[in-house]
PDB file of all heavy atoms in Angstrom:
ATOM      1  N   PHE A 920      80.875  -4.417  11.016  1.00 98.00           N
ATOM      2  CA  PHE A 920      80.748  -4.917   9.649  1.00 98.00           C
ATOM      3  C   PHE A 920      80.693  -3.754   8.667  1.00 98.00           C
ATOM      4  O   PHE A 920      81.347  -3.771   7.615  1.00 98.00           O
ATOM      5  CB  PHE A 920      79.495  -5.786   9.510  1.00 98.00           C
ATOM      6  CG  PHE A 920      79.388  -6.490   8.191  1.00 98.00           C
ATOM      7  CD1 PHE A 920      79.964  -7.742   8.009  1.00 98.00           C
ATOM      8  CD2 PHE A 920      78.726  -5.899   7.126  1.00 98.00           C
ATOM      9  CE1 PHE A 920      79.880  -8.395   6.788  1.00 98.00           C
ATOM     10  CE2 PHE A 920      78.644  -6.542   5.892  1.00 98.00           C
ATOM     11  CZ  PHE A 920      79.216  -7.795   5.725  1.00 98.00           C
ATOM     12  N   LEU A 995      75.523 -17.040  -5.011  1.00 98.00           N
ATOM     13  CA  LEU A 995      75.339 -15.603  -4.800  1.00 98.00           C
ATOM     14  C   LEU A 995      75.990 -14.886  -5.971  1.00 98.00           C
ATOM     15  O   LEU A 995      77.171 -15.102  -6.249  1.00 98.00           O
ATOM     16  CB  LEU A 995      76.002 -15.155  -3.490  1.00 98.00           C
ATOM     17  CG  LEU A 995      75.498 -15.796  -2.200  1.00 98.00           C
ATOM     18  CD1 LEU A 995      76.388 -15.374  -1.031  1.00 98.00           C
ATOM     19  CD2 LEU A 995      74.049 -15.397  -1.928  1.00 98.00           C
ATOM     20  N   PRO A1169      79.062  -8.114   1.034  1.00 98.00           N
ATOM     21  CA  PRO A1169      78.502  -9.130   1.933  1.00 98.00           C
ATOM     22  C   PRO A1169      78.395 -10.508   1.284  1.00 98.00           C
ATOM     23  O   PRO A1169      78.484 -11.522   1.985  1.00 98.00           O
ATOM     24  CB  PRO A1169      77.126  -8.572   2.319  1.00 98.00           C
ATOM     25  CG  PRO A1169      76.814  -7.541   1.309  1.00 98.00           C
ATOM     26  CD  PRO A1169      78.119  -6.988   0.844  1.00 98.00           C
ATOM     27  N   SER A1170      78.224 -10.571  -0.033  1.00 98.00           N
ATOM     28  CA  SER A1170      78.233 -11.870  -0.719  1.00 98.00           C
ATOM     29  C   SER A1170      79.602 -12.516  -0.583  1.00 98.00           C
ATOM     30  O   SER A1170      79.731 -13.714  -0.293  1.00 98.00           O
ATOM     31  CB  SER A1170      77.892 -11.692  -2.202  1.00 98.00           C
ATOM     32  OG  SER A1170      76.570 -11.233  -2.380  1.00 98.00           O
ATOM     33  N   PHE A1171      80.648 -11.717  -0.793  1.00 98.00           N
ATOM     34  CA  PHE A1171      82.012 -12.222  -0.658  1.00 98.00           C
ATOM     35  C   PHE A1171      82.309 -12.644   0.772  1.00 98.00           C
ATOM     36  O   PHE A1171      82.893 -13.706   1.009  1.00 98.00           O
ATOM     37  CB  PHE A1171      82.998 -11.143  -1.121  1.00 98.00           C
ATOM     38  CG  PHE A1171      84.438 -11.513  -0.906  1.00 98.00           C
ATOM     39  CD1 PHE A1171      85.051 -12.466  -1.697  1.00 98.00           C
ATOM     40  CD2 PHE A1171      85.180 -10.910   0.106  1.00 98.00           C
ATOM     41  CE1 PHE A1171      86.378 -12.814  -1.501  1.00 98.00           C
ATOM     42  CE2 PHE A1171      86.503 -11.253   0.315  1.00 98.00           C
ATOM     43  CZ  PHE A1171      87.106 -12.211  -0.496  1.00 98.00           C
ATOM     44  N   ARG A1172      81.905 -11.813   1.723  1.00 98.00           N
ATOM     45  CA  ARG A1172      82.130 -12.172   3.119  1.00 98.00           C
ATOM     46  C   ARG A1172      81.408 -13.472   3.475  1.00 98.00           C
ATOM     47  O   ARG A1172      81.919 -14.285   4.258  1.00 98.00           O
ATOM     48  CB  ARG A1172      81.684 -11.037   4.030  1.00 98.00           C
ATOM     49  CG  ARG A1172      82.639  -9.865   4.094  1.00 98.00           C
ATOM     50  CD  ARG A1172      83.857 -10.161   4.964  1.00 98.00           C
ATOM     51  NE  ARG A1172      83.469 -10.434   6.335  1.00 98.00           N
ATOM     52  CZ  ARG A1172      83.390  -9.503   7.292  1.00 98.00           C
ATOM     53  NH1 ARG A1172      83.675  -8.238   7.011  1.00 98.00           N
ATOM     54  NH2 ARG A1172      83.036  -9.829   8.519  1.00 98.00           N
ATOM     55  N   ALA A1173      80.240 -13.678   2.906  1.00 98.00           N
ATOM     56  CA  ALA A1173      79.484 -14.899   3.189  1.00 98.00           C
ATOM     57  C   ALA A1173      80.223 -16.135   2.677  1.00 98.00           C
ATOM     58  O   ALA A1173      80.320 -17.139   3.380  1.00 98.00           O
ATOM     59  CB  ALA A1173      78.088 -14.811   2.571  1.00 98.00           C
ATOM     60  N   ILE A1174      80.756 -16.069   1.452  1.00 98.00           N
ATOM     61  CA  ILE A1174      81.459 -17.238   0.909  1.00 98.00           C
ATOM     62  C   ILE A1174      82.753 -17.484   1.672  1.00 98.00           C
ATOM     63  O   ILE A1174      83.210 -18.633   1.795  1.00 98.00           O
ATOM     64  CB  ILE A1174      81.732 -17.066  -0.606  1.00 98.00           C
ATOM     65  CG1 ILE A1174      82.014 -18.422  -1.279  1.00 98.00           C
ATOM     66  CG2 ILE A1174      82.873 -16.125  -0.872  1.00 98.00           C
ATOM     67  CD1 ILE A1174      80.820 -19.265  -1.518  1.00 98.00           C
ATOM     68  N   LEU A1175      83.358 -16.442   2.232  1.00 98.00           N
ATOM     69  CA  LEU A1175      84.558 -16.622   3.046  1.00 98.00           C
ATOM     70  C   LEU A1175      84.229 -17.234   4.393  1.00 98.00           C
ATOM     71  O   LEU A1175      84.986 -18.071   4.903  1.00 98.00           O
ATOM     72  CB  LEU A1175      85.252 -15.267   3.265  1.00 98.00           C
ATOM     73  CG  LEU A1175      86.595 -15.062   2.539  1.00 98.00           C
ATOM     74  CD1 LEU A1175      86.392 -15.131   1.031  1.00 98.00           C
ATOM     75  CD2 LEU A1175      87.205 -13.725   2.931  1.00 98.00           C
ATOM     76  N   ASP A1176      83.102 -16.828   4.975  1.00 97.00           N
ATOM     77  CA  ASP A1176      82.788 -17.212   6.351  1.00 97.00           C
ATOM     78  C   ASP A1176      82.031 -18.533   6.475  1.00 97.00           C
ATOM     79  O   ASP A1176      82.017 -19.140   7.552  1.00 97.00           O
ATOM     80  CB  ASP A1176      81.958 -16.100   7.018  1.00 97.00           C
ATOM     81  CG  ASP A1176      82.749 -14.816   7.181  1.00 97.00           C
ATOM     82  OD1 ASP A1176      83.983 -14.841   7.033  1.00 97.00           O
ATOM     83  OD2 ASP A1176      82.116 -13.762   7.436  1.00 97.00           O
ATOM     84  N   VAL A1177      81.389 -18.977   5.412  1.00 97.00           N
ATOM     85  CA  VAL A1177      80.561 -20.175   5.501  1.00 97.00           C
ATOM     86  C   VAL A1177      81.434 -21.423   5.628  1.00 97.00           C
ATOM     87  O   VAL A1177      82.503 -21.522   5.027  1.00 97.00           O
ATOM     88  CB  VAL A1177      79.627 -20.282   4.270  1.00 97.00           C
ATOM     89  CG1 VAL A1177      80.405 -20.626   3.009  1.00 97.00           C
ATOM     90  CG2 VAL A1177      78.510 -21.282   4.520  1.00 97.00           C
ATOM     91  N   GLU A1178      80.992 -22.351   6.441  1.00 96.00           N
ATOM     92  CA  GLU A1178      81.675 -23.645   6.564  1.00 96.00           C
ATOM     93  C   GLU A1178      81.213 -24.574   5.444  1.00 96.00           C
ATOM     94  O   GLU A1178      80.053 -24.523   5.027  1.00 96.00           O
ATOM     95  CB  GLU A1178      81.374 -24.275   7.919  1.00 96.00           C
ATOM     96  CG  GLU A1178      81.950 -23.524   9.102  1.00 96.00           C
ATOM     97  CD  GLU A1178      83.465 -23.525   9.116  1.00 96.00           C
ATOM     98  OE1 GLU A1178      84.058 -24.513   8.630  1.00 96.00           O
ATOM     99  OE2 GLU A1178      84.053 -22.536   9.594  1.00 96.00           O
ATOM    100  N   TYR A1184      78.921 -24.241  -2.670  1.00 98.00           N
ATOM    101  CA  TYR A1184      78.565 -22.834  -2.623  1.00 98.00           C
ATOM    102  C   TYR A1184      79.386 -22.070  -3.658  1.00 98.00           C
ATOM    103  O   TYR A1184      80.574 -22.347  -3.859  1.00 98.00           O
ATOM    104  CB  TYR A1184      78.841 -22.242  -1.246  1.00 98.00           C
ATOM    105  CG  TYR A1184      78.257 -23.031  -0.095  1.00 98.00           C
ATOM    106  CD1 TYR A1184      79.037 -23.363   1.013  1.00 98.00           C
ATOM    107  CD2 TYR A1184      76.929 -23.455  -0.122  1.00 98.00           C
ATOM    108  CE1 TYR A1184      78.511 -24.080   2.069  1.00 98.00           C
ATOM    109  CE2 TYR A1184      76.399 -24.175   0.932  1.00 98.00           C
ATOM    110  CZ  TYR A1184      77.192 -24.488   2.030  1.00 98.00           C
ATOM    111  OH  TYR A1184      76.664 -25.208   3.068  1.00 98.00           O
ATOM    112  N   ARG A1234      70.332 -23.069  -7.278  1.00 97.00           N
ATOM    113  CA  ARG A1234      69.454 -21.967  -6.853  1.00 97.00           C
ATOM    114  C   ARG A1234      70.338 -20.759  -6.578  1.00 97.00           C
ATOM    115  O   ARG A1234      71.480 -20.892  -6.152  1.00 97.00           O
ATOM    116  CB  ARG A1234      68.649 -22.351  -5.617  1.00 97.00           C
ATOM    117  CG  ARG A1234      69.464 -22.832  -4.432  1.00 97.00           C
ATOM    118  CD  ARG A1234      68.560 -23.207  -3.259  1.00 97.00           C
ATOM    119  NE  ARG A1234      69.314 -23.797  -2.148  1.00 97.00           N
ATOM    120  CZ  ARG A1234      69.921 -23.088  -1.209  1.00 97.00           C
ATOM    121  NH1 ARG A1234      69.872 -21.770  -1.239  1.00 97.00           N
ATOM    122  NH2 ARG A1234      70.584 -23.686  -0.236  1.00 97.00           N
ATOM    123  N   LEU A1236      70.715 -16.335  -5.599  1.00 97.00           N
ATOM    124  CA  LEU A1236      70.287 -14.981  -5.285  1.00 97.00           C
ATOM    125  C   LEU A1236      71.072 -14.046  -6.187  1.00 97.00           C
ATOM    126  O   LEU A1236      72.308 -14.065  -6.175  1.00 97.00           O
ATOM    127  CB  LEU A1236      70.572 -14.623  -3.817  1.00 97.00           C
ATOM    128  CG  LEU A1236      69.777 -15.336  -2.739  1.00 97.00           C
ATOM    129  CD1 LEU A1236      70.173 -14.791  -1.358  1.00 97.00           C
ATOM    130  CD2 LEU A1236      68.274 -15.178  -2.955  1.00 97.00           C
ATOM    131  N   LEU A1264      67.055  -6.582   4.270  1.00 97.00           N
ATOM    132  CA  LEU A1264      67.340  -7.049   2.921  1.00 97.00           C
ATOM    133  C   LEU A1264      66.089  -6.953   2.048  1.00 97.00           C
ATOM    134  O   LEU A1264      64.991  -7.284   2.482  1.00 97.00           O
ATOM    135  CB  LEU A1264      67.816  -8.490   3.017  1.00 97.00           C
ATOM    136  CG  LEU A1264      68.224  -9.256   1.765  1.00 97.00           C
ATOM    137  CD1 LEU A1264      69.377  -8.581   1.056  1.00 97.00           C
ATOM    138  CD2 LEU A1264      68.589 -10.685   2.162  1.00 97.00           C
ATOM    139  N   ILE A1292      63.645 -19.449   4.447  1.00 97.00           N
ATOM    140  CA  ILE A1292      65.064 -19.378   4.843  1.00 97.00           C
ATOM    141  C   ILE A1292      65.320 -18.147   5.694  1.00 97.00           C
ATOM    142  O   ILE A1292      65.934 -18.219   6.765  1.00 97.00           O
ATOM    143  CB  ILE A1292      65.973 -19.369   3.595  1.00 97.00           C
ATOM    144  CG1 ILE A1292      65.912 -20.720   2.880  1.00 97.00           C
ATOM    145  CG2 ILE A1292      67.416 -19.031   3.987  1.00 97.00           C
ATOM    146  CD1 ILE A1292      66.612 -20.735   1.533  1.00 97.00           C
ATOM    147  N   PHE A1293      64.864 -16.993   5.239  1.00 97.00           N
ATOM    148  CA  PHE A1293      65.135 -15.749   5.955  1.00 97.00           C
ATOM    149  C   PHE A1293      64.418 -15.706   7.299  1.00 97.00           C
ATOM    150  O   PHE A1293      64.995 -15.306   8.315  1.00 97.00           O
ATOM    151  CB  PHE A1293      64.741 -14.547   5.103  1.00 97.00           C
ATOM    152  CG  PHE A1293      65.641 -14.324   3.905  1.00 97.00           C
ATOM    153  CD1 PHE A1293      65.273 -13.451   2.901  1.00 97.00           C
ATOM    154  CD2 PHE A1293      66.853 -14.984   3.783  1.00 97.00           C
ATOM    155  CE1 PHE A1293      66.099 -13.225   1.802  1.00 97.00           C
ATOM    156  CE2 PHE A1293      67.686 -14.779   2.691  1.00 97.00           C
ATOM    157  CZ  PHE A1293      67.295 -13.895   1.693  1.00 97.00           C
ATOM    158  N   ASN A1296      66.004 -17.802   9.997  1.00 97.00           N
ATOM    159  CA  ASN A1296      67.324 -17.356  10.450  1.00 97.00           C
ATOM    160  C   ASN A1296      67.312 -15.915  10.953  1.00 97.00           C
ATOM    161  O   ASN A1296      68.364 -15.279  11.036  1.00 97.00           O
ATOM    162  CB  ASN A1296      68.334 -17.509   9.313  1.00 97.00           C
ATOM    163  CG  ASN A1296      68.662 -18.956   9.007  1.00 97.00           C
ATOM    164  OD1 ASN A1296      69.517 -19.552   9.656  1.00 97.00           O
ATOM    165  ND2 ASN A1296      67.960 -19.525   8.034  1.00 97.00           N
ATOM    166  N   VAL A1298      66.388 -13.127   9.728  1.00 97.00           N
ATOM    167  CA  VAL A1298      66.848 -12.095   8.794  1.00 97.00           C
ATOM    168  C   VAL A1298      65.717 -11.106   8.558  1.00 97.00           C
ATOM    169  O   VAL A1298      64.604 -11.504   8.194  1.00 97.00           O
ATOM    170  CB  VAL A1298      67.282 -12.719   7.452  1.00 97.00           C
ATOM    171  CG1 VAL A1298      67.672 -11.625   6.456  1.00 97.00           C
ATOM    172  CG2 VAL A1298      68.424 -13.698   7.657  1.00 97.00           C
ATOM    173  N   TYR A1350      74.082  -5.154   6.964  1.00 98.00           N
ATOM    174  CA  TYR A1350      74.328  -6.290   7.850  1.00 98.00           C
ATOM    175  C   TYR A1350      73.280  -7.382   7.648  1.00 98.00           C
ATOM    176  O   TYR A1350      73.611  -8.581   7.656  1.00 98.00           O
ATOM    177  CB  TYR A1350      74.331  -5.820   9.297  1.00 98.00           C
ATOM    178  CG  TYR A1350      74.792  -6.867  10.279  1.00 98.00           C
ATOM    179  CD1 TYR A1350      76.108  -7.331  10.256  1.00 98.00           C
ATOM    180  CD2 TYR A1350      73.924  -7.401  11.225  1.00 98.00           C
ATOM    181  CE1 TYR A1350      76.540  -8.297  11.155  1.00 98.00           C
ATOM    182  CE2 TYR A1350      74.347  -8.368  12.131  1.00 98.00           C
ATOM    183  CZ  TYR A1350      75.649  -8.815  12.084  1.00 98.00           C
ATOM    184  OH  TYR A1350      76.077  -9.770  12.973  1.00 98.00           O
ATOM    185  N   GLU A1351      72.038  -6.998   7.458  1.00 98.00           N
ATOM    186  CA  GLU A1351      70.990  -7.995   7.205  1.00 98.00           C
ATOM    187  C   GLU A1351      71.218  -8.698   5.875  1.00 98.00           C
ATOM    188  O   GLU A1351      70.887  -9.882   5.729  1.00 98.00           O
ATOM    189  CB  GLU A1351      69.613  -7.331   7.227  1.00 98.00           C
ATOM    190  CG  GLU A1351      69.190  -6.826   8.602  1.00 98.00           C
ATOM    191  CD  GLU A1351      69.143  -7.923   9.652  1.00 98.00           C
ATOM    192  OE1 GLU A1351      68.571  -8.998   9.392  1.00 98.00           O
ATOM    193  OE2 GLU A1351      69.686  -7.696  10.758  1.00 98.00           O
ATOM    194  N   ALA A1352      71.806  -7.991   4.901  1.00 98.00           N
ATOM    195  CA  ALA A1352      72.149  -8.641   3.635  1.00 98.00           C
ATOM    196  C   ALA A1352      73.175  -9.741   3.879  1.00 98.00           C
ATOM    197  O   ALA A1352      73.047 -10.861   3.365  1.00 98.00           O
ATOM    198  CB  ALA A1352      72.686  -7.619   2.642  1.00 98.00           C
ATOM    199  N   TYR A1353      74.189  -9.445   4.659  1.00 98.00           N
ATOM    200  CA  TYR A1353      75.195 -10.455   4.990  1.00 98.00           C
ATOM    201  C   TYR A1353      74.544 -11.650   5.687  1.00 98.00           C
ATOM    202  O   TYR A1353      74.801 -12.807   5.333  1.00 98.00           O
ATOM    203  CB  TYR A1353      76.273  -9.835   5.872  1.00 98.00           C
ATOM    204  CG  TYR A1353      77.193 -10.837   6.518  1.00 98.00           C
ATOM    205  CD1 TYR A1353      78.132 -11.548   5.766  1.00 98.00           C
ATOM    206  CD2 TYR A1353      77.122 -11.089   7.892  1.00 98.00           C
ATOM    207  CE1 TYR A1353      78.979 -12.471   6.368  1.00 98.00           C
ATOM    208  CE2 TYR A1353      77.967 -12.002   8.499  1.00 98.00           C
ATOM    209  CZ  TYR A1353      78.890 -12.700   7.725  1.00 98.00           C
ATOM    210  OH  TYR A1353      79.713 -13.618   8.326  1.00 98.00           O
ATOM    211  N   LYS A1354      73.694 -11.384   6.673  1.00 98.00           N
ATOM    212  CA  LYS A1354      73.010 -12.474   7.378  1.00 98.00           C
ATOM    213  C   LYS A1354      72.150 -13.290   6.419  1.00 98.00           C
ATOM    214  O   LYS A1354      72.110 -14.532   6.490  1.00 98.00           O
ATOM    215  CB  LYS A1354      72.138 -11.913   8.500  1.00 98.00           C
ATOM    216  CG  LYS A1354      72.894 -11.419   9.713  1.00 98.00           C
ATOM    217  CD  LYS A1354      71.944 -10.852  10.770  1.00 98.00           C
ATOM    218  CE  LYS A1354      70.899 -11.865  11.194  1.00 98.00           C
ATOM    219  NZ  LYS A1354      69.981 -11.303  12.205  1.00 98.00           N
ATOM    220  N   GLY A1355      71.458 -12.603   5.520  1.00 98.00           N
ATOM    221  CA  GLY A1355      70.603 -13.301   4.563  1.00 98.00           C
ATOM    222  C   GLY A1355      71.396 -14.162   3.602  1.00 98.00           C
ATOM    223  O   GLY A1355      71.012 -15.300   3.299  1.00 98.00           O
ATOM    224  N   TYR A1356      72.521 -13.660   3.128  1.00 98.00           N
ATOM    225  CA  TYR A1356      73.346 -14.428   2.205  1.00 98.00           C
ATOM    226  C   TYR A1356      73.957 -15.644   2.895  1.00 98.00           C
ATOM    227  O   TYR A1356      74.051 -16.736   2.313  1.00 98.00           O
ATOM    228  CB  TYR A1356      74.442 -13.549   1.619  1.00 98.00           C
ATOM    229  CG  TYR A1356      73.917 -12.381   0.794  1.00 98.00           C
ATOM    230  CD1 TYR A1356      74.682 -11.239   0.579  1.00 98.00           C
ATOM    231  CD2 TYR A1356      72.638 -12.411   0.232  1.00 98.00           C
ATOM    232  CE1 TYR A1356      74.212 -10.174  -0.167  1.00 98.00           C
ATOM    233  CE2 TYR A1356      72.151 -11.348  -0.515  1.00 98.00           C
ATOM    234  CZ  TYR A1356      72.941 -10.230  -0.711  1.00 98.00           C
ATOM    235  OH  TYR A1356      72.471  -9.173  -1.450  1.00 98.00           O
ATOM    236  N   MET A1357      74.368 -15.471   4.161  1.00 98.00           N
ATOM    237  CA  MET A1357      74.881 -16.606   4.916  1.00 98.00           C
ATOM    238  C   MET A1357      73.803 -17.661   5.103  1.00 98.00           C
ATOM    239  O   MET A1357      74.042 -18.872   4.916  1.00 98.00           O
ATOM    240  CB  MET A1357      75.393 -16.132   6.286  1.00 98.00           C
ATOM    241  CG  MET A1357      76.747 -15.463   6.262  1.00 98.00           C
ATOM    242  SD  MET A1357      78.110 -16.619   5.945  1.00 98.00           S
ATOM    243  CE  MET A1357      78.181 -17.466   7.536  1.00 98.00           C
ATOM    244  N   ALA A1358      72.600 -17.237   5.462  1.00 97.00           N
ATOM    245  CA  ALA A1358      71.503 -18.178   5.668  1.00 97.00           C
ATOM    246  C   ALA A1358      71.174 -18.931   4.373  1.00 97.00           C
ATOM    247  O   ALA A1358      70.914 -20.141   4.395  1.00 97.00           O
ATOM    248  CB  ALA A1358      70.274 -17.429   6.174  1.00 97.00           C
ATOM    249  N   PHE A1359      71.213 -18.225   3.265  1.00 97.00           N
ATOM    250  CA  PHE A1359      70.913 -18.839   1.974  1.00 97.00           C
ATOM    251  C   PHE A1359      71.916 -19.924   1.641  1.00 97.00           C
ATOM    252  O   PHE A1359      71.552 -21.013   1.197  1.00 97.00           O
ATOM    253  CB  PHE A1359      70.915 -17.761   0.881  1.00 97.00           C
ATOM    254  CG  PHE A1359      70.773 -18.294  -0.502  1.00 97.00           C
ATOM    255  CD1 PHE A1359      69.527 -18.628  -1.009  1.00 97.00           C
ATOM    256  CD2 PHE A1359      71.887 -18.450  -1.321  1.00 97.00           C
ATOM    257  CE1 PHE A1359      69.389 -19.129  -2.305  1.00 97.00           C
ATOM    258  CE2 PHE A1359      71.755 -18.952  -2.617  1.00 97.00           C
ATOM    259  CZ  PHE A1359      70.506 -19.281  -3.093  1.00 97.00           C
ATOM    260  N   LEU A1360      73.204 -19.650   1.863  1.00 96.00           N
ATOM    261  CA  LEU A1360      74.221 -20.643   1.558  1.00 96.00           C
ATOM    262  C   LEU A1360      74.083 -21.870   2.453  1.00 96.00           C
ATOM    263  O   LEU A1360      74.227 -23.016   1.989  1.00 96.00           O
ATOM    264  CB  LEU A1360      75.617 -20.036   1.716  1.00 96.00           C
ATOM    265  CG  LEU A1360      76.041 -18.970   0.708  1.00 96.00           C
ATOM    266  CD1 LEU A1360      77.436 -18.467   1.045  1.00 96.00           C
ATOM    267  CD2 LEU A1360      75.993 -19.492  -0.712  1.00 96.00           C
ATOM    268  N   LYS A1361      73.822 -21.645   3.718  1.00 92.00           N
ATOM    269  CA  LYS A1361      73.812 -22.747   4.675  1.00 92.00           C
ATOM    270  C   LYS A1361      72.548 -23.596   4.605  1.00 92.00           C
ATOM    271  O   LYS A1361      72.470 -24.641   5.267  1.00 92.00           O
ATOM    272  CB  LYS A1361      73.985 -22.207   6.097  1.00 92.00           C
ATOM    273  CG  LYS A1361      75.353 -21.588   6.344  1.00 92.00           C
ATOM    274  CD  LYS A1361      75.588 -21.275   7.811  1.00 92.00           C
ATOM    275  CE  LYS A1361      74.655 -20.193   8.310  1.00 92.00           C
ATOM    276  NZ  LYS A1361      74.948 -19.824   9.718  1.00 92.00           N
ATOM    277  N   GLU A1362      71.564 -23.181   3.812  1.00 85.00           N
ATOM    278  CA  GLU A1362      70.295 -23.932   3.717  1.00 85.00           C
ATOM    279  C   GLU A1362      70.506 -25.143   2.821  1.00 85.00           C
ATOM    280  O   GLU A1362      70.206 -25.124   1.629  1.00 85.00           O
ATOM    281  CB  GLU A1362      69.179 -23.036   3.175  1.00 85.00           C
ATOM    282  CG  GLU A1362      67.814 -23.653   3.232  1.00 85.00           C
ATOM    283  CD  GLU A1362      67.297 -23.888   4.654  1.00 85.00           C
ATOM    284  OE1 GLU A1362      67.738 -23.172   5.569  1.00 85.00           O
ATOM    285  OE2 GLU A1362      66.464 -24.774   4.821  1.00 85.00           O
TER     286      GLU A1362
END
Side-chain angles (χ1 to χ4, degrees):
F920 188 88
L995 300 173
S1170 295
F1171 175 73
R1172 283 283 298 268
I1174 199 76
L1175 250 62
D1176 294 346
V1177 71
E1178 293 295 329
Y1184 309 131
R1234 55 181 174 85
L1236 292 182
L1264 181 60
I1292 292 171
F1293 290 167
N1296 289 276
V1298 176
Y1350 189 66
E1351 292 301 313
Y1353 167 71
K1354 286 179 57 180
Y1356 297 157
M1357 282 289 286
F1359 173 81
L1360 291 179
K1361 293 190 294 184
E1362 188 66 26

